[in-house]
Amino acid sequence: MALMAMAMVCHAQGDLRLNDLEYFERRGVNVLVFSNSFNGGFNDEKNSGIEIIHHGVRTVQGGAVRLNNTPEQWDLVPKMTDRKVDRDAGTISVTMRYDDYNFDSRVVATAKGKAVEIAVYLDSPVPEKLAGEAGLNIEFLPSQYWLKTFTMDGRLGRLPRYATSMTTTRPNSEKPRQFKGFRTYDDRGTGRFVDPLPLETGHRLSMATDDPSRLVTITSDAELRLYDGRMLAQNGWFVVRSILPKGKTGKVVTWTVEPHAIPNWTREPNIGFSQIGYTPEQPKVAVIELDKNDTPQQTATLMRLGEDGTATAAYTGGITTWGPYYKYNYVKFDFSQVKQPGVYYIQYGSTKTNDFLIDEHVYDKITDATTDVWVPIHMNHMYVTEGYRTWHGEPFKEGYLQAPESDHFDLHRQGAKTETKYKPLELIPGLNVGGFFDAGDFDIETGSNINVVQNLIRTWELFHPQRDETFVSQEQRYVELHRPDGTPDILQFIEHGVLNLVTQAEQIGHMASTLSNSVLDNYHHLGDAASITDGLHYDPSLKPYEVSADGKRSGTPDDMWAFTTRNPSLDLQAAGVFTSAARVLRGYNDALADRAQKQADRLRQEATALQRGSRFRRDRQADADNDWLTGTGDGNYRNVARNLQTMLDSIPMKDDAYRQKLRPAVEQYAEYIKSFDKQNPYGVPIGLGNWAGVNAVLNFGITVNYAHIYYPDIVTKDEVYRVANWLYGCHPYHNYSFVAVVGATRPKQVFYGNNRADFSFIPGNVAPGLLFRKPDHFENYDDWPFLWGQNEGTIAGNTQYIIFGSSLKNIVTGK
Ligand SMILES: [Ca+2]
Ligand SMILES: [Ca+2]
Ligand SMILES: [Ca+2]
């Protein structure tokens, strides 16, 4: 380890060089050139193109030929058609294409001393339609640059904390096409779109001249324009841009970009530990993430804070090496032997963590924020209030229209036939009842809502939580947080979810795929959900923005749509959940239980008939499950992980023989759990996808918990803390808890909730977590909420967390 660290030091001191992972590197600076390419996946592209990881933080991205001054989420992104790395020449060249305009360009990045030259080459001139629109862009992260100074050709400026620069409007005909022809804006009948004007223009720009860790200088013969992307969208970045010249080919624009490097910079150790603390008897191991140039300490010390505020050493122990994982080195500090309740912190070299508890009760409240605050705030079609604050009024009073044939910006599709008795754009009565907002957006994803009800039913049947902190009145369409009303909240949440789902089945005849926005310009809504639509029925006989004399209809096409293409497997899922719901609701809301049972029977019958052709596939699956159980198949870890939970769930209904038969599978699962200790230093499944994947971690946690409950001799109690440690702070990048407000000392502070424009959170939200950027970088911004892949929480994931947290609490307290 020491030898490797020294080798890194020797060559990292000099100029930018192209490393084995195909990016430019010098100590403190990584310049990535399309290691992550634009993929159009939900068109959220603040993760792609030329990127700079500057002293450990990805502060610059989006370097590419773009068609807008400040591209938004649904603006076109270029498709990378080729990427060549020439190690001898020290260049990375990328060709990109806009199919919509038959426009190809090539960007070549070359290390030149401490700078990188970025040049755009064209084989044919910029197409007429894009002349003056296509340019070389690169984007700077606002939260790392605002309030800092910049200079343009020596003129001084300060980057604004909030968007307050200038804009102009231009005819819509001049706007480059947006994704699938959708529009992110409502032009209010003006026929014009808003275009930001530059804050500054010139030929030499230095960003953050007052902060050596963020200082980047760009020089060019072409005009550099500095824009504030937040003028159009709260998730916009600061953009530097040079327009490609008209009618030219060859090397048309050249920039020299020099990110400053702090001499001998070494990243501060990231000491991962559980922010909520530890019970006295549980394993307690901090995972310390170290810069590869850092030399590990020999020991670390657990310090104890006395009631008088003094700190004394409670335990000093050795540091053990785990080894390299992607770009950092990992060591561990095991302080399990400290069992005395108290307030502690970890001292590692000169790094001191915030404090945490060792106490029997640290897990007692881990689900309260989610059940008392996050879930009720996401109840759709209700007015939701808390103390002096209204979270939202009653949304979508005008109800939902039958979707016409359409593609959709949130990945839905309505086929040519409605498959209902309704005509396109006809009101489907009654759908504006019950249901939960999907995530950071406000649609009802039927599949997710089915998951939610399943999760809540599972929670209810397993734990019977009587907690009552929420007032829910379906009659008043009113929810108040922290006001008990005599009914357990989980039961009311189940009722609320079932109300929407059953109404879908009754009114539509089968399950909608989603109830979602009809126009993109209100899909990205940030604010009170009740103000997304005007609450008036859409009437195409009125002019846009016109309201009928009786005040009940408007010509604004903002009503939500129900997407009704029939999916028998979704109907079967719904039937399953309706049967369970009828069981749970019986005695509490008999009328709804009856409705649920009736729809369950009908949907099951109809969907089974529709699915007759696919029986073969289901039989094959049953055979595979059986092979795996009896050990005759090629059962692997993945199969074990996928199937074990279902089997564990059925244990209470089965006899002892079944429990015995399952033992070999649980033994295999115990090995699977341990296998993660070799895969990464944190001992949990770490996802590398575009969605950071807390769901996989929670699934893992739930299965580990149940394997322990039924087979404590095979899966020991020590294993159940893995996922808790990860969620509450023991993970890469930073050590904040991924659960909003949960994590006594340092929970994450920003999430991609519907209040993300306020750089805030909704208590109890669970972030997806660590987003992996190729080839070797994990990140989770805690000053920038807007990347859904790392900071959004979903209704299905957060109700899954309730099961995880409830089962963990029960294990810890021995119930
Ligand atoms: Ca959605
Ligand atoms: Ca209640
Ligand atoms: Ca309306």
Side-chain angles (χ1 to χ4, degrees):
M1 195 63 56
L3 274 178
M4 191 186 83
M6 278 173 62
M8 300 287 291
V9 173
C10 292
H11 58 61
Q13 276 306 299
D15 294 339
L16 272 178
R17 52 177 280 280
L18 192 49
N19 69 14
D20 293 342
L21 294 169
E22 300 190 341
Y23 61 80
F24 299 104
E25 182 178 18
R26 66 189 285 240
R27 193 162 170 172
V29 176
N30 304 158
V31 180
L32 281 56
V33 181
F34 283 74
S35 294
N36 299 286
S37 66
F38 297 87
N39 58 35
F42 209 49
N43 292 67
D44 194 288
E45 301 288 349
K46 303 297 184 193
N47 288 323
S48 320
I50 298 172
E51 308 179 75
I52 300 175
I53 297 168
H54 207 178
H55 300 107
V57 184
R58 197 174 58 94
T59 50
V60 177
Q61 55 73 42
V65 170
R66 300 300 306 269
L67 311 182
N68 312 81
N69 290 334
T70 64
E72 291 177 69
Q73 183 166 354
W74 287 273
D75 282 322
L76 295 181
V77 292
K79 186 169 74 184
M80 182 174 80
T81 49
D82 190 35
R83 178 174 185 268
K84 281 200 186 70
V85 179
D86 184 336
R87 221 172 280 276
D88 298 332
T91 63
I92 303 175
S93 70
V94 172
T95 54
M96 60 191 100
R97 176 171 176 78
Y98 286 95
D99 280 327
D100 292 58
Y101 291 97
N102 191 24
F103 173 40
D104 298 286
S105 57
R106 184 159 47 98
V107 166
V108 180
T110 312
K112 300 226 161 148
K114 293 177 170 46
V116 62
E117 181 191 280
I118 302 171
V120 180
Y121 290 81
L122 298 178
D123 293 334
S124 332
V126 176
E128 188 64 30
K129 184 81 186 141
L130 296 178
E133 311 294 338
L136 174 61
N137 284 25
I138 201 159
E139 308 197 348
F140 288 75
L141 180 61
S143 54
Q144 288 292 320
Y145 278 91
W146 61 41
L147 302 176
K148 290 178 184 164
T149 52
F150 71 94
T151 59
M152 180 72 92
D153 294 347
R155 293 185 298 279
L156 297 171
R158 194 173 291 281
L159 293 156
R161 173 63 184 80
Y162 198 88
T164 52
S165 58
M166 302 281 287
T167 56
T168 187
T169 64
R170 296 167 57 192
N172 285 338
S173 58
E174 294 180 8
K175 173 116 177 154
R177 186 181 143 83
Q178 294 190 284
F179 176 66
K180 290 183 179 173
F182 293 120
R183 259 197 211 164
T184 49
Y185 59 101
D186 173 359
D187 70 7
R188 305 309 292 178
T190 63
R192 300 178 74 84
F193 72 99
V194 174
D195 206 14
L197 293 170
L199 280 77
E200 257 290 10
T201 60
H203 295 275
R204 181 184 168 86
L205 170 66
S206 287
M207 296 285 282
T209 52
D210 55 349
D211 181 352
S213 70
R214 295 288 166 262
L215 174 60
V216 177
T217 298
I218 305 179
T219 52
S220 179
D221 290 339
E223 185 184 61
L224 298 169
R225 301 176 179 176
L226 172 64
Y227 291 94
D228 188 341
R230 298 170 300 168
M231 297 301 289
L232 291 186
Q234 276 74 9
N235 61 356
W237 293 37
F238 293 120
V239 180
V240 180
R241 169 167 168 85
S242 290
I243 298 292
L244 306 187
K246 290 179 195 180
K248 292 250 171 77
T249 56
K251 192 177 186 182
V252 294
V253 167
T254 307
W255 286 357
T256 301
V257 179
E258 184 175 338
H260 178 74
I262 296 171
N264 295 314
W265 177 79
T266 304
R267 183 173 179 262
E268 183 78 4
N270 169 34
I271 303 173
F273 66 98
S274 173
Q275 293 279 350
I276 67 158
Y278 303 86
T279 58
E281 91 291 352
Q282 85 169 87
K284 308 171 194 74
V285 182
V287 178
I288 305 173
E289 181 180 68
L290 295 176
D291 194 307
K292 280 183 177 168
N293 292 301
D294 204 345
T295 309
Q297 302 284 327
Q298 297 294 311
T299 60
T301 299
L302 191 70
M303 300 294 291
R304 184 181 156 85
L305 289 173
E307 277 186 21
D308 60 355
T310 56
T312 49
Y315 172 75
T316 296
I319 293 295
T320 56
T321 298
W322 188 86
Y325 178 66
Y326 292 101
K327 68 175 15 161
Y328 298 123
N329 281 331
Y330 293 84
V331 298
K332 294 190 179 187
F333 171 49
D334 187 337
F335 54 97
S336 302
Q337 67 184 74
V338 179
K339 295 182 161 60
Q340 190 189 349
V343 182
Y344 296 90
Y345 67 87
I346 297 166
Q347 183 82 48
Y348 171 82
S350 57
T351 308
K352 173 186 164 181
T353 66
N354 55 256
D355 64 73
F356 57 89
L357 302 182
I358 293 179
D359 186 73
E360 248 177 87
H361 299 287
V362 297
Y363 293 100
D364 288 1
K365 298 176 175 18
I366 55 176
T367 58
D368 297 348
T370 309
T371 57
D372 299 359
V373 186
W374 199 91
V375 171
I377 286 171
H378 287 72
M379 292 171 85
N380 200 342
H381 307 118
M382 305 290 263
Y383 182 101
V384 179
T385 185
E386 175 184 25
Y388 292 5
R389 172 184 196 163
T390 292
W391 281 91
H392 58 80
E394 183 192 330
F396 314 126
K397 285 185 178 174
E398 67 267 68
Y400 296 79
L401 307 182
Q402 167 69 55
E405 180 176 9
S406 57
D407 215 341
H408 194 247
F409 32 82
D410 197 16
L411 314 177
H412 300 290
R413 178 173 278 283
Q414 173 69 49
K417 288 190 207 136
T418 66
E419 301 184 66
T420 66
K421 61 183 176 188
Y422 304 99
K423 288 195 275 299
L425 298 181
E426 188 178 344
L427 179 72
I428 302 178
L431 291 180
N432 55 326
V433 63
F436 294 90
F437 298 141
D438 179 33
D441 51 3
F442 303 91
D443 53 322
I444 290 188
E445 295 267 4
T446 301
S448 297
N449 270 259
I450 289 172
N451 275 329
V452 167
V453 176
Q454 277 169 337
N455 289 339
L456 294 169
I457 288 174
R458 224 169 134 196
T459 305
W460 178 253
E461 295 197 318
L462 290 165
F463 311 110
H464 295 285
Q466 299 299 307
R467 194 172 174 88
D468 174 19
E469 272 299 316
T470 312
F471 172 93
V472 180
S473 167
Q474 291 294 341
E475 220 175 288
Q476 298 172 22
R477 296 194 166 226
Y478 192 92
V479 174
E480 185 176 346
L481 313 190
H482 318 304
R483 170 188 283 276
D485 62 0
T487 305
D489 299 337
I490 296 287
L491 212 47
Q492 289 169 313
F493 300 154
I494 293 170
E495 176 183 43
H496 194 71
V498 171
L499 266 172
N500 186 268
L501 295 170
V502 163
T503 307
Q504 282 190 27
E506 291 169 344
Q507 298 296 91
I508 296 171
H510 55 269
M511 304 312 293
S513 63
T514 186
L515 309 178
S516 190
N517 308 63
S518 60
V519 283
L520 179 54
D521 65 65
N522 70 19
Y523 171 69
H524 51 54
H525 180 86
L526 293 175
D528 186 340
S531 60
I532 296 175
T533 62
D534 61 10
L536 310 174
H537 292 291
Y538 172 53
D539 180 347
S541 73
L542 298 167
K543 289 206 245 358
Y545 317 108
E546 187 184 351
V547 176
S548 63
D550 64 2
K552 289 181 176 160
R553 292 165 294 119
S554 87
T556 307
D558 64 2
D559 295 20
M560 303 282 278
W561 286 351
F563 290 73
T564 57
T565 299
R566 188 162 199 170
N567 174 355
S569 72
L570 188 67
D571 290 351
L572 278 177
Q573 275 181 49
V577 84
F578 289 162
T579 301
S580 316
R583 183 172 69 232
V584 168
L585 292 170
R586 187 72 59 203
Y588 164 61
N589 183 339
D590 285 336
L592 187 59
D594 288 343
R595 288 168 63 193
Q597 191 57 57
K598 186 175 168 194
Q599 294 307 319
D601 296 343
R602 184 180 64 80
L603 284 180
R604 192 170 289 117
Q605 198 173 30
E606 291 181 16
T608 308
L610 286 167
Q611 268 203 335
R612 222 171 273 133
S614 54
R615 160 131 342 137
F616 173 70
R617 189 172 53 79
R618 279 182 285 123
D619 288 349
R620 281 279 298 271
Q621 184 57 46
D623 286 349
D625 291 353
N626 202 43
D627 283 356
W628 170 77
L629 248 185
T630 54
T632 55
D634 60 347
N636 55 27
Y637 286 150
R638 190 181 295 273
N639 275 335
V640 177
R642 192 168 52 223
N643 294 320
L644 188 62
Q645 186 64 52
T646 317
M647 298 180 185
L648 290 171
D649 283 346
S650 67
I651 281 183
M653 281 86 80
K654 300 276 171 92
D655 59 9
D656 198 51
Y658 181 85
R659 209 187 261 233
Q660 289 305 321
K661 196 172 155 192
L662 209 54
R663 277 189 77 88
V666 181
E667 279 161 4
Q668 211 180 343
Y669 191 73
E671 280 175 44
Y672 171 73
I673 297 170
K674 301 267 190 213
S675 73
F676 289 108
D677 292 327
K678 296 202 178 67
Q679 287 182 30
N680 64 65
Y682 297 96
V684 298
I686 296 179
L688 303 179
N690 251 0
W691 171 261
V694 77
N695 310 75
V697 181
L698 286 173
N699 264 335
F700 174 69
I702 292 168
T703 307
V704 173
N705 288 356
Y706 279 87
H708 166 70
I709 289 170
Y710 296 122
Y711 300 89
D713 61 320
I714 303 175
V715 174
T716 64
K717 191 172 176 181
D718 285 358
E719 308 296 347
V720 305
Y721 301 103
R722 288 171 184 261
V723 167
N725 288 340
W726 169 268
L727 282 178
Y728 303 130
C730 191
H731 49 66
Y733 197 73
H734 56 51
N735 62 10
Y736 312 147
S737 168
F738 285 139
V739 189
V741 316
V742 178
T745 322
R746 186 54 168 93
K748 264 179 70 59
Q749 289 173 336
V750 306
F751 287 72
Y752 185 106
N754 60 44
N755 59 351
R756 59 191 176 275
D758 302 318
F759 291 79
S760 189
F761 54 85
I762 299 178
N765 199 8
V766 185
L770 267 295
L771 187 69
F772 181 66
R773 307 318 303 148
K774 284 181 244 175
D776 63 353
H777 184 71
F778 283 103
E779 78 182 12
N780 179 277
Y781 289 133
D782 196 46
D783 58 356
W784 189 251
F786 297 105
L787 297 191
W788 49 265
Q790 47 184 282
N791 280 332
E792 189 171 19
T794 66
I795 185 70
N798 287 342
T799 48
Q800 200 186 4
Y801 171 75
I802 296 172
I803 299 177
F804 168 75
S806 304
S807 56
L808 182 63
K809 273 192 294 189
N810 278 265
I811 291 168
V812 172
T813 57
K815 278 181 192 159

